[in-house]
Amino acid sequence: MAQKPEPLQKVEGLLIDVGGVLYQGDEAIEGSAEALALLRERHIPFRLLTNTTRTARARLAEKLHRFGFDVAEEEIVTPASVAGAILARDGAKPHLLVHPDLLPDCPEEAARPDAVLMGDAGEHFTFEAMNRAFNVLIEGGRLYALGRNRFFRGDKGFELDAGPFVAALEYAAEVEAVLIGKPARDFFLTAAKELGLMPERIAMVGDDVEGDVEGAIAAGLPGVLVKTGKFREADEARAKKGGAHVAASLHSLVEEMT
């Protein structure tokens, strides 16, 4: 068996980003379904860790099934799936500024909110929606962000993610968002805990050098950048400088691990 690259020698499990690593637009990335099958065959545990805040876990699992991935809803960890516990911990009653498709995974909208829970609402980021959220915040409400990624690559090219809209409300209401999704440290550690391994034994695999790779490394996990999805050539040097491993794809990474 070939010697594993040094950053992978102690890795026994994976957290795997979804968009840009497993699929792109309306099709699976070549070799990605086979990569998950190899992980199962070789008893390497994993969780799918995604910042997507437009799609509920059940719908995401259905989409992955259509693309040929054998995954269960319980193997997917999203900011919305952990948001309820965080809001309950803080005693926060939320106004929801999220995409309607995400509502099944979200806590209930409060009649008298004292916080805003915000995700990628897409075309629902209207002036009226932003202004309603602003009014909760300007009255002293806290802002919770499911994610603050700047952009992602959709089937029609690059698209704005939640981050620019979170920044707009932070600026307008003079507040700082509490981040729930990547690159929040607790989000990586919550998912890592499900695998029953120490964080340093679990690598985070993603196409976003900032949100996936650098965020994971800051949380104590090894980071792996793949050259698919939103990857751009300048990202490779940045990732390596920060101590990350770089692989051509998820399939290539799994082959290197085994």
Side-chain angles (χ1 to χ4, degrees):
M1 181 181 293
Q3 181 71 19
K4 295 179 183 178
E6 186 174 348
L8 304 180
Q9 287 179 2
K10 296 182 179 180
V11 170
E12 299 176 4
L14 297 178
L15 302 180
I16 304 169
D17 186 30
V18 176
V21 178
L22 297 185
Y23 70 86
Q24 184 64 61
D26 288 328
E27 60 183 13
I29 292 172
E30 184 177 359
S32 55
E34 291 83 354
L36 292 193
L38 280 172
L39 291 174
R40 293 196 192 281
E41 179 183 316
R42 295 166 185 177
H43 305 289
I44 299 173
F46 66 87
R47 285 292 183 273
L48 305 183
L49 185 65
T50 174
N51 253 19
T52 184
T53 59
R54 288 191 188 181
T55 308
R57 289 195 303 169
R59 291 286 299 275
L60 182 56
E62 291 173 4
K63 181 175 183 177
L64 290 171
H65 291 161
R66 292 198 300 272
F67 290 160
F69 295 99
D70 177 21
V71 296
E73 179 181 343
E74 294 74 22
E75 293 177 308
I76 302 171
V77 182
T78 72
S81 73
V82 302
I86 291 173
L87 292 172
R89 176 199 68 191
D90 294 350
K93 298 174 289 186
H95 165 72
L96 302 181
L97 179 50
V98 299
H99 197 283
D101 289 348
L102 195 67
L103 291 175
D105 285 352
C106 289
E108 289 187 13
E109 170 98 19
R112 296 182 178 178
D114 59 9
V116 172
L117 180 63
M118 184 174 184
D120 176 16
E123 67 273 20
H124 300 279
F125 275 134
T126 62
F127 173 81
E128 290 78 11
M130 290 286 285
N131 205 52
R132 283 197 297 272
F134 168 71
N135 274 277
V136 174
L137 300 175
I138 204 68
E139 294 296 328
R142 299 185 69 181
L143 176 59
Y144 291 82
L146 294 173
R148 60 180 311 147
N149 296 61
R150 293 184 176 91
F151 66 95
F152 62 95
R153 189 167 185 172
D155 55 1
K156 296 181 180 179
F158 293 114
E159 297 184 34
L160 289 174
D161 210 321
F165 300 94
V166 172
L169 286 180
E170 286 181 318
Y171 173 74
E174 297 184 277
V175 298
E176 183 175 348
V178 176
L179 181 63
I180 295 176
K182 295 181 290 184
R185 180 177 183 274
D186 285 348
F187 191 52
F188 292 111
L189 297 182
T190 297
K193 189 175 181 180
E194 293 191 13
L195 298 185
L197 298 169
M198 296 298 292
E200 60 268 22
R201 299 273 182 187
I202 304 170
M204 175 67 211
V205 186
D207 64 324
D208 184 327
V209 68
E210 181 179 14
D212 296 329
V213 178
E214 293 176 344
I217 290 173
L221 286 71
V224 179
L225 178 69
V226 290
K227 298 183 178 182
T228 53
K230 66 191 290 186
F231 170 83
R232 293 177 291 180
E233 290 302 322
D235 294 339
E236 181 168 2
R238 177 175 170 178
K240 287 182 176 179
K241 185 177 180 180
H245 182 63
V246 179
S249 65
L250 177 62
H251 190 273
S252 174
L253 171 68
V254 174
E255 288 292 336
E256 289 183 76
M257 289 179 62
T258 57

